[in-house]
Amino acid sequence: MVRKNKGYITLFLLPTVVLFIVVYAVSIVILFGTSFTEWSSGRKPIFIGLANYIQLFTDDSDFRQSFLNTGVWVLLQSTIHVAIGTVFAIILNMKEFYWKFARTVYMFPNIISGAAVGMLFLCMLNPDFGAVNSIVRLFGNADYAQNWFMDYTTAFFSVTMTWLPYAAVVTILILAEIAAIPESLFESARIDGASELKINFYIILPMLRNIIGTCVILAGTSMLQKMDIIMMTTGGGPGNETMNLPIYIYKTALMENNFGYSNSVGVFLIGFGLAFVLLCRNLFRIGSSQN
Amino acid sequence: MRKPLFKTSFTLTSTLILALSISACGSQNSSGNSGAAATAAPTASGQASDAPAAKAPVKISYLTFRVGTHASAKLEEEQIKQFNAKYGKEVEVVVEEIPSDSAYEDKLKILAVSGDVPDVVMGKNGINDILIKGNLVTPFNDYLDKDPEWKAAVGEAAIAANTRDGKVWSISDQKQNIGYFYNKEMFEQAGIKPAQTWDEFMSNNEKLKAAGFVPLALMTGENAWTTNLILAALVGTNGDAGNKFMNTLHPTDFNTPEMIQALNMMKTMLEKYTTKDALGAGYANAANAFSQNKAAMIANGPWMIGDFSDPTKSSAGFDKKVGVAAYPNNSLISTYEVGYMIGAKTPETRDAAEKFIRFKTGIEGQTIALEYGNVMPVSDKIQPSDVLKQKYPLFVESIKLAQQTQVHYQSFDSIVYPNITDAWKSLYPKLVFGQSTAEEIAKELTKIAAKHK
């Protein structure tokens, strides 16, 4: 029986393994290999050793700014974003008000494409006809009406606000986990006289450690790929104020025609992502038992 | 015993259905593709049934961004249609539509890395350099020598603009003569006329503002097109050095007095004389500001003229309000488009690609472009039809203007490296918000140019 199962397991895993090797593993090997070369479109790669990495860490202020922005966004997304999603899940779980309606409305921003969300915010924050500035002017504070995406003082905040509060995926994952907690636990707690607040804090939250850890990884790593909304709203500007690593990779490869250097940033991004995932796994002890 | 048998049969049947669905999808896709090809070459199938012994048409691949709402979509469609009617039995153009200029450029750059470029390529915005350096294109010298009529239709100046070290790498399909459009009503109310000097231009801005109008429709997002046309005019008219700079392919030193002076003047215009959303706005915002009577001037080329009488873009009767002017110092931006290149690899596809390019850039193709897209032809022999003259009198004015102006220079997009084109959108806000001075921006541009590989 075991042999038979092994056969099935191999058979069903094979397509995934082959796809992974062809699509990801080979690409990563090529990415890593060409990161040690000077390679531009239309020319053959020339091996230059560690030169790209040396330049990256010693003489590239654009890279430093992109890395800093990416780091801050990963931090905000894995803390504030997950916290919003978790709190919302716990509130929705109480089922006391129009929770089905709230859940559906809350999901909306997550089902719209990033580019469309970008366009939406671009219109909403337009300094000329945007809804936000119109409201600001309506209340008589015309001085506060401004070019939100292009002003140095507001650009980073404005871009961050286009995704930070919309945590429906986190909420749904956590709601599913809460639903899996045996009802008997809550009943026992209630019989022992625990309030709903105490049940949330001392029973539900500790039991959500694994899934919250997973959400932190998902939310944080999503920031390592974030590109669409930034491209639509600020394109990384003003200056490098909202530039992140994916946009920097795009610019070095396709605008500067410097694929070798761009790939070295890509390798760094993969390393950064791996380090983040490992950190979260250890921090939340993902996979270990709840007790 | 029956249960496992049922399970196995069910699994096998499901797998078979899935496999068939996938192959059906595949065949649907390929028919979709061939549909596109069929659109490009309607006579191909007919030919096969009528004359089975006849040679099959040579297939060539062609990517285009002139689709959908693109200003040149109509002319592209018409050129392909007329090419098919004439040469469809010999050449089948397999068209791939890419609905964005920048997506087209990105795709071509990536294809160039793998050396797998389409048979016919539009070499805009640095693509030509990449393909030439990578030895991925064929020069046109032999083809032009064999066809003096075509050579004459393209013209010596256009050929010279795309020649490097004696090799003609691309064939230009249009001349760009770019001045600016202005709202005659607003000018009248402000008591001004198109400026003859830059001092007068700035004074006009001030008078328009005083009369309650926004003087300029500028934008710094995307490639900062309408803003950079004025910047190019400022540099290009600033003495011999400035004019030389604006006629130099791939300038690497932006740290010049002309550039710094121009950037300072542009800072003033962006701060005082444009719409509030100019910083970060795209082309559509600026075009809309002008067409909707929100701004008095926009720098742009004749292809925009059609928009002024288009009710979906402009208010009724707007085309009667618009005038066209040259930049101060009797000057105009005047460039030849990079045009088309042969990326085909076999002699057979190269010849077919050349035939397609010859049609697009010859007298017929240029005439179609003029009539369907208000595109200025490269040949002096082609004149606008009476219908076009009546429909777009502003276009005739633009031609006159091009003939009258004496100082000419190119646009930034046609001379700088693509990474400079991409940098404006982040540099202009730095300049306007005082994060960097004009001198610092000029240094930064020089640094960015040096980064291009």
Side-chain angles (χ1 to χ4, degrees):
Chain A
M1 276 307 282
V2 174
R3 267 192 181 177
K4 211 174 176 182
N5 278 345
K6 271 188 178 172
Y8 272 117
I9 291 168
T10 314
L11 187 70
F12 285 115
L13 279 180
L14 202 63
T16 313
V17 172
V18 170
L19 272 176
F20 179 81
I21 290 170
V22 172
V23 178
Y24 287 106
V26 171
S27 306
I28 290 170
V29 169
I30 293 171
L31 180 87
F32 189 73
T34 51
S35 72
F36 298 100
T37 64
E38 188 181 311
W39 180 30
S40 54
S41 185
R43 288 175 181 176
K44 284 182 180 165
I46 303 161
F47 181 74
I48 52 166
L50 288 169
N52 284 337
Y53 289 96
I54 291 167
Q55 191 188 338
L56 204 64
F57 295 115
T58 57
D59 185 30
D60 192 342
S61 56
D62 293 347
F63 167 72
R64 280 197 293 276
Q65 179 74 51
S66 311
F67 176 46
L68 180 72
N69 289 344
T70 310
V72 172
W73 276 328
V74 166
L75 189 70
L76 291 175
Q77 194 78 352
S78 51
T79 52
I80 296 174
H81 179 87
V82 174
I84 292 170
T86 309
V87 169
F88 218 82
I90 290 170
I91 293 169
L92 286 178
N93 187 53
M94 292 175 181
K95 302 180 184 179
E96 283 178 5
F97 19 77
Y98 303 98
W99 69 284
K100 276 186 183 168
F101 170 76
R103 207 161 56 172
T104 312
V105 170
Y106 188 54
M107 194 64 199
F108 267 163
N110 289 75
I111 56 172
I112 303 172
S113 81
V117 172
M119 279 304 290
L120 192 78
F121 272 90
L122 206 57
C123 291
M124 263 172 37
L125 298 181
N126 183 287
D128 219 16
F129 57 78
V132 173
N133 280 332
S134 300
I135 293 168
V136 169
R137 287 190 199 101
L138 191 71
F139 289 101
N141 287 317
D143 291 346
Y144 293 110
Q146 56 192 298
N147 197 338
W148 299 93
F149 282 124
M150 282 297 135
D151 192 316
Y152 272 83
T153 53
T154 56
F156 192 86
F157 173 78
S158 303
V159 170
T160 308
M161 281 301 114
T162 60
W163 62 68
L164 192 66
Y166 310 108
V169 174
V170 174
T171 303
I172 282 172
L173 287 173
I174 289 176
L175 269 174
E177 188 76 0
I178 295 173
I181 299 172
E183 189 61 28
S184 57
L185 273 176
F186 302 128
E187 282 170 11
S188 316
R190 283 186 195 112
I191 290 166
D192 289 343
S195 65
E196 286 302 315
L197 193 69
K198 279 187 175 170
I199 290 171
N200 282 330
F201 266 99
Y202 295 110
I203 296 176
I204 295 182
L205 264 181
M207 295 197 81
L208 295 178
R209 193 197 68 227
N210 256 325
I211 192 68
I212 289 178
T214 307
C215 288
V216 166
I217 290 177
L218 287 175
T221 50
S222 75
M223 282 297 105
L224 303 178
Q225 308 152 16
K226 187 63 78 182
M227 199 166 167
D228 43 10
I229 294 183
I230 305 174
M231 287 295 267
M232 292 303 293
T233 52
T234 61
N240 289 334
E241 206 64 18
T242 59
M243 174 111 80
N244 68 352
L245 287 172
I247 291 190
Y248 188 58
I249 290 172
Y250 165 80
K251 285 193 173 201
T252 12
L254 292 173
M255 294 300 146
E256 288 164 12
N257 194 21
N258 196 346
F259 283 81
Y261 192 69
S262 172
N263 288 357
S264 65
V265 185
V267 170
F268 177 82
L269 185 63
I270 291 175
F272 180 49
L274 281 175
F276 176 75
V277 171
L278 285 175
L279 179 76
C280 291
R281 275 179 63 118
N282 289 332
L283 208 62
F284 288 90
R285 288 178 284 125
I286 294 172
S288 66
S289 104
Q290 297 289 353
N291 299 320
Chain B
M1 278 305 284
R2 282 182 66 128
K3 221 173 176 182
L5 185 68
F6 171 75
K7 266 188 175 176
T8 317
S9 320
F10 181 75
T11 313
L12 279 171
T13 315
S14 313
T15 314
L16 195 66
I17 290 170
L18 188 68
L20 284 172
S21 325
I22 291 167
S23 59
C25 288
S27 59
Q28 229 171 14
N29 279 344
S30 66
S31 74
N33 288 340
S34 62
T39 318
T43 53
S45 59
Q47 184 204 29
S49 60
D50 294 342
K55 205 180 161 193
V58 180
K59 273 190 186 181
I60 53 166
S61 53
Y62 173 56
L63 268 63
T64 179
F65 51 90
R66 291 166 167 174
V67 292
T69 55
H70 195 282
S72 302
K74 268 189 202 168
L75 79 85
E76 180 79 296
E77 195 187 337
E78 189 60 28
Q79 279 181 341
I80 293 173
K81 196 175 122 191
Q82 291 199 24
F83 176 79
N84 287 331
K86 199 168 179 180
Y87 297 107
K89 287 182 183 173
E90 299 162 52
V91 181
E92 183 180 330
V93 186
V94 181
V95 182
E96 188 183 334
E97 299 182 343
I98 303 188
S100 150
D101 292 39
S102 56
Y104 170 84
E105 288 157 24
D106 289 353
K107 178 151 187 175
L108 254 299
K109 284 171 193 168
I110 290 165
L111 287 175
V113 178
S114 60
D116 186 25
V117 293
D119 297 322
V120 176
V121 181
M122 167 67 97
K124 68 197 292 252
N125 207 9
I127 291 168
N128 58 339
D129 283 314
I130 291 169
L131 300 187
I132 294 166
K133 277 179 197 165
N135 203 20
L136 294 165
V137 278
T138 306
F140 284 91
N141 299 51
D142 292 343
Y143 290 116
L144 285 167
D145 290 342
K146 278 180 201 162
D147 191 343
E149 206 178 309
W150 179 35
K151 198 173 179 178
V154 179
E156 276 178 27
I159 291 172
N162 287 317
T163 303
R164 291 186 205 175
D165 300 326
K167 288 183 179 172
V168 186
W169 290 107
S170 62
I171 302 292
S172 190
D173 64 334
Q174 56 181 281
K175 202 190 280 180
Q176 290 190 338
N177 289 320
I178 308 169
Y180 67 92
F181 299 108
Y182 63 96
N183 188 313
K184 289 193 268 192
E185 275 184 9
M186 290 182 188
F187 265 45
E188 209 176 297
Q189 285 180 47
I192 56 168
K193 282 181 181 170
Q196 300 301 313
T197 65
W198 284 108
D199 284 343
E200 196 185 338
F201 188 84
M202 295 307 263
S203 153
N204 278 355
N205 285 333
E206 197 54 45
K207 284 176 187 167
L208 281 162
K209 198 179 174 186
F213 303 117
V214 172
L216 294 160
L218 301 177
M219 37 77 70
T220 69
E222 297 165 359
N223 57 353
W225 177 247
T226 67
T227 304
N228 274 354
L229 291 177
I230 297 179
L231 187 78
L234 283 162
V235 179
T237 54
N238 197 346
D240 290 343
N243 194 263
K244 193 180 169 193
F245 182 93
M246 285 314 302
N247 282 304
T248 303
L249 184 65
H250 301 153
T252 48
D253 184 9
F254 289 77
N255 203 14
T256 66
E258 296 80 21
M259 191 74 199
I260 292 163
Q261 201 180 334
L263 283 168
N264 275 322
M265 281 176 82
M266 194 47 74
K267 178 178 157 72
T268 310
M269 289 187 222
L270 284 164
E271 278 172 348
K272 292 169 71 178
Y273 303 129
T274 188
T275 53
K276 284 185 179 128
D277 66 347
L279 282 180
Y283 170 79
N285 298 59
N288 191 51
F290 181 72
S291 299
Q292 296 297 324
N293 292 297
K294 286 182 185 166
M297 290 181 267
I298 187 167
N300 211 359
W303 56 85
M304 196 190 187
I305 291 168
D307 291 356
F308 302 146
S309 51
D310 181 346
T312 63
K313 293 177 179 170
S314 307
S315 49
F318 181 72
D319 55 331
K320 308 280 183 299
K321 293 182 190 175
V322 183
V324 61
Y327 297 107
N329 300 0
N330 194 21
S331 74
L332 206 66
I333 291 172
S334 185
T335 60
Y336 288 99
E337 270 286 310
V338 171
Y340 301 96
M341 310 178 86
I342 299 176
K345 289 170 194 70
T346 65
E348 203 183 21
T349 51
R350 263 185 224 133
D351 289 349
E354 182 269 340
K355 191 167 271 182
F356 182 56
I357 295 169
R358 184 159 25 112
F359 179 84
K360 273 181 141 283
T361 57
I363 296 290
E364 283 165 288
Q366 287 183 49
T367 309
I368 297 167
L370 170 66
E371 297 294 323
Y372 284 82
N374 291 339
V375 167
M376 205 74 86
V378 284
S379 168
D380 295 335
K381 288 177 190 162
I382 301 166
Q383 295 300 322
S385 67
D386 290 340
V387 177
L388 188 77
K389 282 179 190 169
Q390 276 175 358
K391 197 176 175 189
Y392 302 122
L394 205 58
F395 187 78
V396 181
E397 274 185 59
S398 298
I399 296 172
K400 277 184 197 161
L401 203 68
Q403 290 161 348
Q404 286 162 4
T405 48
Q406 286 169 339
V407 181
H408 296 114
Y409 36 87
Q410 301 191 53
S411 67
F412 272 101
D413 277 21
S414 52
I415 61 166
V416 299
Y417 287 123
N419 59 339
I420 296 278
T421 303
D422 183 59
W424 299 109
K425 61 172 166 271
S426 54
L427 295 179
Y428 274 125
K430 269 183 158 181
L431 180 70
V432 176
F433 284 109
Q435 297 282 322
S436 299
T437 61
E439 285 82 357
E440 284 165 344
I441 296 288
K443 276 181 191 156
E444 207 161 332
L445 285 165
T446 308
K447 203 174 135 193
I448 293 166
K451 277 187 178 181
H452 180 82
K453 296 283 176 185

